[in-house]
Amino acid sequence: MTMSMGRVGRHLLGLAVAGLTLATGGAAFAELGQPAPWEWTLQQSGSPVMDNIVWFHNFLFVLITLITLFVLALLVIVVVKFNAKANPVPSRTTHNTLIEVAWTLVPVLILVGISVPSFRLLFLQLDLPKADLTVKATGKQWYWSYAYPDNGKFEFDSLMAQDKQPRLLGVDNEMVVPVNKVIRVQTTGADVIHAFAVPAFGVKIDAIPGRLNETWFKATKTGVYYGQCSELCGKDHAFMPIAVRVVSDQEFASWVETAKKKYASGGTNTYASAAGPAQ
Ligand SMILES: [Cu+2]
């Protein structure tokens, strides 16, 4: 079957319109705390650190665009104005002190300018504020265990739930934290290196056997925030999601009471039970 150019054009236009509709639709339906179809930006921010990351990302994006356009413009000028045809007798100039000082100093100043917000963000991430709650996340092949040492010292396992949405992100037992509170997350690995990552909180930290790493977040809105193990840790690396449910103080207090009883034995399930439907 042959298609005329007009028909091909119409097909392409149709595809473009469909793509655009999907892209804008995806953005419109973007939910807090999880990826959206056709998403091409960072996830919506749910913490002060992520607000800062988004700002820094956008700032660098504008800067790098301006620099790239400037260099492109210089290249175009050189190609058009100084080619052999347009400029048959080239200048023999080899040095220009002013320009050489400028093209050394200006990039240095730009880098120093970038380093200021960069270090500010780094310190915001690494300098832990006083924590209201500590949760210890232990990466295991292939699920997470969450321990609450402040609240009655209970611990439970969190496994991917195959019958839950969003697909590959829903879990049986979510990590629950109160809203607008500084949560200190301690991570470690029980077998190999895993990594605890929740994009909307701007959190990503390795969970290493024999070591206790620390990070923090403060969720500013209630809801469920999803993340994934972000260090290749074996065959089910892709199937050990993280789900953090952010609730009000009262809801958190009542959840703690239930959790203390429910997880009194130190976990409700073993990895073997993960094959069956989630409870
Ligand atoms: Cu892992």
Side-chain angles (χ1 to χ4, degrees):
M1 192 185 90
T2 52
M3 269 197 233
S4 71
M5 285 308 281
R7 238 179 116 190
V8 173
R10 275 199 300 281
H11 275 266
L12 284 177
L13 189 70
L15 269 178
V17 170
L20 198 68
T21 315
L22 274 170
T24 48
F29 291 121
E31 266 181 74
L32 187 63
Q34 59 177 281
W38 291 85
E39 191 170 50
W40 54 278
T41 56
L42 295 170
Q43 263 186 42
Q44 211 183 318
S45 167
S47 79
V49 168
M50 192 57 192
D51 289 344
N52 223 293
I53 291 175
V54 170
W55 179 88
F56 191 50
H57 168 83
N58 291 340
F59 163 68
L60 287 184
F61 186 70
V62 170
L63 198 65
I64 204 168
T65 305
L66 292 176
I67 291 171
T68 310
L69 289 176
F70 175 66
V71 173
L72 179 71
L74 291 181
L75 280 173
V76 170
I77 289 172
V78 168
V79 168
V80 172
K81 215 172 153 192
F82 298 108
N83 64 55
K85 219 187 288 171
N87 191 41
V89 191
S91 152
R92 295 262 170 194
T93 312
T94 54
H95 284 290
N96 184 312
T97 311
L98 183 69
I99 288 179
E100 283 162 20
V101 169
W103 76 39
T104 308
L105 271 186
V106 171
V108 168
L109 290 177
I110 292 173
L111 287 179
V112 170
I114 291 174
S115 76
V116 174
S118 176
F119 279 114
R120 209 197 304 137
L121 174 57
L122 210 55
F123 279 105
L124 181 67
Q125 291 174 310
L126 299 181
D127 192 16
L128 267 69
K130 198 182 154 332
D132 297 308
L133 173 74
T134 301
V135 181
K136 184 181 166 200
T138 307
K140 299 176 179 171
Q141 281 176 318
W142 287 273
Y143 59 100
W144 292 93
S145 288
Y146 299 111
Y148 287 67
D150 300 345
N151 314 69
K153 297 184 173 49
F154 57 89
E155 180 166 14
F156 59 91
D157 297 339
S158 178
L159 287 92
M160 189 181 82
Q162 301 201 355
D163 53 350
K164 272 200 187 175
Q165 292 296 328
R167 198 176 84 88
L168 302 181
L169 291 175
V171 301
D172 54 357
N173 300 310
E174 292 150 343
M175 166 180 165
V176 181
V177 297
V179 70
N180 282 323
K181 289 278 154 58
V182 174
I183 315 296
R184 167 170 47 201
V185 182
Q186 298 183 324
T187 62
T188 190
D191 32 46
V192 297
I193 303 177
H194 301 267
F196 184 89
V198 182
F201 294 152
V203 160
K204 179 177 277 179
I205 189 157
D206 276 358
I208 302 169
R211 192 189 287 193
L212 198 66
N213 276 348
E214 274 191 336
T215 186
W216 72 284
F217 68 85
K218 187 169 91 174
T220 47
K221 286 171 224 139
T222 55
V224 190
Y225 297 77
Y226 296 95
Q228 288 174 308
C229 176
S230 296
E231 182 64 65
L232 198 50
C233 60
K235 80 172 172 65
D236 284 351
H237 162 65
F239 310 109
M240 50 180 295
I242 295 154
V244 183
R245 181 175 291 277
V246 178
V247 297
S248 68
D249 283 344
Q250 297 91 313
E251 282 170 306
F252 180 71
S254 65
W255 175 80
V256 167
E257 288 316 306
T258 334
K260 266 198 266 189
K261 286 177 213 128
K262 190 174 166 193
Y263 306 126
S265 56
T268 51
N269 45 38
T270 60
Y271 188 63
S273 73
Q279 59 277 60

